[in-house]
Amino acid sequence: MAILLGVDTGGTYTDAVLMRDEEAVIASAKALTTRHDLAIGVREAVKAVLAVSDITPSDIALASLSTTLATNALVEGQGARVALIYIGFSERDLAAQGLADALGGDPVLVIAGGHSHGGAEVAPLDVAKITAWAAAQDVSAFAIAAQFGTRNPAHELAAREAVREATGLPVTCSHELSARLGGPKRALTAVLNARLVGLTHRLIGRAEGALRELGIDAPLMVVRGDGALMSSIQAQERPIETILSGPAASIVGARWLTGADHALVSDIGGTTTDIAVLRHGQPVIDPDGARVGPHRTMVEAVAMRTHGLGGDSEVHLTTEGLSGGVTLGPRRVLPVALVAKDAPEMVHRALDEQLNRAVPGEYDAQFVCRVEGHDAVGLPSRAEQVLARITAEPQPLGSVLTSRLEAQSLRLLVSRGLVQVAGPTPTDALHVLGRFTHWNAEVSEKALALLARNRSGSGERHAPDAHSMAGQIVEALTQATGTALLEAAFAEDGMEDPAALARHPLLHRGLRQVPGLVRLTAGLGVPVVGLGASAQTTYPAVGDYLNAEMLLPKHGDVANAIGAVTGRIRMLREGLVSSPSEGLYRAHLPDAPLDFGDADSAMASLEAALTAAATNEAEAAGAASVHVQVWREVKRAKIEAREIFVEARIVVEATGRPSIAAHDVATVL
């Protein structure tokens, strides 16, 4: 009998769950996620679950971690400053696939080189220029993408060696993240991976350290975006593969908790709401690669629609028009109720002073604090000045900012993860309404009272009091969640423009079943599995809004941690055999292309190389026994009654359960 530990580090909570042989939940617990030092939240959650279970640390045979860290960082525009070396492309290629936007002004070297579709060198690579340029950059990591680098990675590998020798910094090569064509998209994926390296190293290193401090001597696995597991070392090298890790684990957990075969799964966290589809009991995989926020990557992941909508979404008041209103997100802020947990006197005093003023202030009910331990390289001077005024203790935002220009600098500091802003959130609204009582409801009421006295375009207050304001915020959360679920459903049904359909007036007449000469009825055709800490309090209203069956399982608030425990190791490797000329067959092997005189030999060579690579990766991840499956897709064309080989795509999948060391469990469960 093996005891398994699953941990999920989310934007607001860190969850821990103990399971017995993947068959039953022994216990679960939560702790607040501590972004300045994630090990604190991990340690506290694991300590709490051990305390309520009577399991000793030495009983634990395997630990597994899922995390929304990478997803949230990309949604919120966070991550370290990086540099891109773009080989064989032109300056105008930077505009493709949102690459320039993802770089956000970070340095780029566009340099000649790269290979042709067949893997032949197009132009020599100036390694000396790369070395000199890299040494001059003030960045935390590098990304490298070469034209047709998946057909011949030689220039990416040469550039990587030059950068490592010149800087010693982490380097991401695009061909190691995807075997598919599409240089700008691969470059985008490499840039995002490089951004996440530092964040992921800190998370995994501190998580492993926290487990060791508690006496847990077990291998640590990390959940990938497709729900499969990888080793902690692999996750540190390829953190981009952990985007949607938490949501993917929640889908695996939802299936385990409910047994649902066909359902929408909606997981509401502090920062995001993640929606996916269960079909035939399996999560649907996105064939175009994972999308997070504005970015479409080449990472294989669960087909997930991620919305900047959660319990900690920033509340915005609509000031245009006569009626006013409330919108949410996409930025996450700390709930005022949470900030007051550690500094109640200061928060009460600041809110009371703001309530006593005759005129609402621009920064009422907003606070800011510094996040220690993050990389502050490359900041503009104005941002450095603003950062110097911000302390680790919460401060009223209005006491820090002196001009609108400094507000722009603050946004940069937030995007870099150097500071956190606090303000009114749906979590505060739930505190005011008495549906959520974890923190300080009194300061939430004061914060929402400040929000309520702002005026719309008609000159009227947005709400008469804090309770009415809270009702508006929760209703906005219900409608936004319902709209997000409708978009996902229409997209899965293959409908064009699902966003427009989800907002169509006729659909909403049908949802409300408005009486009239034309009778319209609408609703979701499959159940919704509601997951997340606030699902029990917020999702019943969403079910009513959508005329849908809502499944709210026990332990649904720790579904991510459960999914982390019940996942499998799965490594995919794919490659291509091309035919540059008649009678010549080129196997594009992982290290370099190799030519053959017949197609069968080329395919056999590639299959053997891919099988070895996938098997080695699975074993390196800790798979006890590896099962291999191979798929070949051969394209041929008929020309003048002759069948001509065009190309062959080979995919190898290596799967297995993580190896679990033998442990003697003395505790009677």
Side-chain angles (χ1 to χ4, degrees):
M1 178 173 57
I3 303 300
L4 312 177
L5 170 66
V7 180
D8 173 68
T9 303
T12 303
Y13 286 111
T14 295
D15 301 332
V17 64
L18 287 168
M19 296 187 69
R20 182 173 56 247
D21 287 333
E22 301 181 27
E23 295 177 0
V25 175
I26 299 172
S28 65
K30 288 179 176 290
L32 284 171
T33 294
T34 46
R35 287 196 169 194
H36 66 284
D37 186 350
L38 292 166
I40 297 173
V42 170
R43 183 172 58 248
E44 292 305 310
V46 175
K47 280 174 60 178
V49 78
L50 288 170
V52 298
S53 66
D54 293 327
I55 295 292
T56 60
S58 60
D59 293 338
I60 296 171
L62 179 74
S64 189
L65 174 71
S66 71
T67 176
T68 58
L69 177 73
T71 308
N72 293 348
L74 296 184
V75 167
E76 297 173 12
Q78 295 185 6
R81 176 179 167 86
V82 302
L84 171 65
I85 298 174
Y86 209 30
I87 303 170
F89 297 94
S90 64
E91 293 279 354
R92 65 175 179 272
D93 291 322
L94 291 169
Q97 300 293 332
L99 180 55
D101 292 336
L103 283 163
D106 285 358
V108 183
L109 173 64
V110 179
I111 189 169
H115 294 78
S116 68
H117 184 275
E121 185 179 78
V122 172
L125 183 67
D126 190 343
V127 176
K129 183 176 181 180
I130 290 174
T131 300
W133 183 83
Q137 303 310 309
D138 184 14
V139 296
S140 298
F142 286 82
I144 299 172
Q147 190 172 41
F148 289 110
T150 56
R151 297 296 169 85
N152 191 335
H155 284 184
E156 289 194 8
L157 295 173
R160 179 176 67 185
E161 290 307 309
V163 171
R164 282 179 173 172
E165 288 182 10
T167 69
L169 293 173
V171 182
T172 297
C173 288
S174 73
H175 77 275
E176 294 177 332
L177 300 176
S178 176
R180 299 184 180 183
L181 297 179
K185 193 173 178 181
R186 273 190 295 106
L188 168 68
T189 306
V191 165
L192 298 179
N193 188 81
R195 281 209 196 289
L196 295 171
V197 165
L199 289 172
T200 307
H201 267 266
R202 282 193 292 272
L203 168 61
I204 292 174
R206 290 170 179 168
E208 290 178 325
L211 295 180
R212 286 193 298 270
E213 288 175 13
L214 293 172
I216 297 173
D217 182 20
L220 178 65
M221 308 299 295
V222 180
V223 182
R224 291 200 322 239
D226 60 358
L229 302 180
M230 64 197 306
S231 72
S232 59
I233 293 174
Q234 291 167 333
Q236 288 174 321
E237 294 171 348
R238 303 192 300 273
I240 191 67
E241 294 184 10
T242 71
I243 60 172
L244 303 179
S245 160
S250 75
I251 308 306
V252 178
R255 165 68 175 171
W256 189 91
L257 287 166
T258 65
D261 285 324
H262 301 278
L264 286 169
V265 180
S266 184
D267 186 358
I268 182 170
T271 306
T272 61
T273 291
D274 305 306
I275 300 171
V277 178
L278 269 175
R279 185 193 296 152
H280 305 300
Q282 298 294 324
V284 174
I285 300 297
D286 192 336
D288 297 323
R291 177 187 286 278
V292 181
H295 307 302
R296 171 71 75 177
T297 72
M298 279 190 166
V299 176
E300 183 175 273
V302 169
M304 185 77 63
R305 299 178 77 88
T306 298
H307 301 263
L309 178 69
D312 300 346
S313 290
E314 186 175 22
V315 175
H316 304 277
L317 296 177
T318 304
T319 56
E320 298 177 359
L322 298 179
S323 59
V326 172
T327 60
L328 303 174
R331 190 175 74 162
R332 172 188 182 265
V333 296
L334 295 173
V336 180
L338 175 57
V339 172
K341 179 175 177 288
D342 295 324
E345 292 183 4
M346 186 281 297
V347 174
H348 274 293
R349 183 171 59 253
L351 294 174
D352 288 339
E353 290 176 358
Q354 293 165 5
L355 283 167
N356 288 331
R357 294 172 187 159
V359 179
E362 183 177 3
Y363 301 117
D364 281 357
Q366 296 182 65
F367 300 85
V368 64
C369 59
R370 186 164 184 165
V371 179
E372 300 293 344
H374 283 246
D375 192 351
V377 299
L379 286 177
S381 59
R382 190 187 302 275
E384 288 180 341
Q385 293 169 11
V386 174
L387 182 62
R389 289 188 224 126
I390 301 174
T391 66
E393 297 297 320
Q395 302 164 263
L397 186 56
S399 69
V400 172
L401 300 182
T402 60
S403 69
R404 292 291 179 88
L405 288 176
E406 290 191 345
Q408 295 177 7
S409 297
L410 179 71
R411 285 192 288 272
L412 174 63
L413 296 175
V414 171
S415 72
R416 292 281 296 273
L418 297 169
V419 303
Q420 286 184 296
V421 173
T425 66
T427 297
D428 289 298
L430 291 171
H431 274 80
V432 171
L433 297 175
R435 301 183 195 173
F436 200 72
T437 57
H438 284 54
W439 304 315
N440 194 317
E442 188 178 352
V443 298
S444 291
E445 187 159 355
K446 289 180 180 180
L448 264 60
L450 284 165
L451 209 60
R453 70 178 191 164
N454 283 276
R455 298 185 181 275
S456 66
S458 66
E460 298 294 324
R461 287 170 57 108
H462 275 273
D465 52 41
H467 280 257
S468 297
M469 191 76 249
Q472 289 185 32
I473 293 169
V474 172
E475 178 62 20
L477 179 64
T478 298
Q479 292 188 12
T481 303
T483 300
L485 284 163
L486 289 169
E487 280 188 39
F490 280 127
E492 178 64 15
D493 284 343
M495 306 293 286
E496 292 186 9
D497 200 354
L501 289 173
R503 294 164 175 79
H504 199 286
L506 287 178
L507 171 66
H508 287 272
R509 281 182 64 90
L511 290 172
R512 298 194 307 272
Q513 299 183 9
V514 177
L517 296 179
V518 177
R519 185 176 64 214
L520 297 172
T521 302
L524 288 178
V526 296
V528 176
V529 181
L531 306 173
S534 63
Q536 298 284 346
T537 58
T538 59
Y539 274 26
V542 176
D544 294 339
Y545 178 68
L546 296 176
N547 301 321
E549 179 186 3
M550 189 66 65
L551 304 178
L552 301 172
K554 183 181 179 181
H555 302 303
D557 59 330
V558 291
N560 296 40
I562 290 172
V565 172
T566 55
R568 298 287 188 274
I569 293 170
R570 173 176 171 267
M571 296 296 172
L572 278 180
R573 290 294 177 267
E574 63 179 279
L576 190 82
V577 174
S578 63
S579 181
S581 60
E582 189 171 357
L584 178 64
Y585 304 92
R586 181 165 293 163
H588 297 273
L589 303 177
D591 295 327
L594 188 62
D595 292 340
F596 294 85
D598 64 279
D600 289 340
S601 297
M603 288 189 289
S605 175
L606 179 60
E607 181 178 319
L610 295 176
T611 299
T615 302
N616 290 340
E617 283 280 296
E619 291 175 346
S625 59
V626 178
H627 174 69
V628 174
Q629 285 187 285
V630 179
W631 293 270
R632 285 187 180 187
E633 181 185 348
V634 182
K635 293 182 180 180
R636 303 180 189 274
K638 284 191 176 181
I639 300 176
E640 296 179 354
R642 286 197 308 148
E643 192 172 67
I644 304 297
F645 177 94
V646 178
E647 66 178 27
R649 179 172 173 263
I650 299 177
V651 179
V652 176
E653 178 189 68
T655 59
R657 274 295 300 154
S659 176
I660 298 175
H663 285 66
D664 293 326
V665 181
T667 307
V668 177
L669 303 176

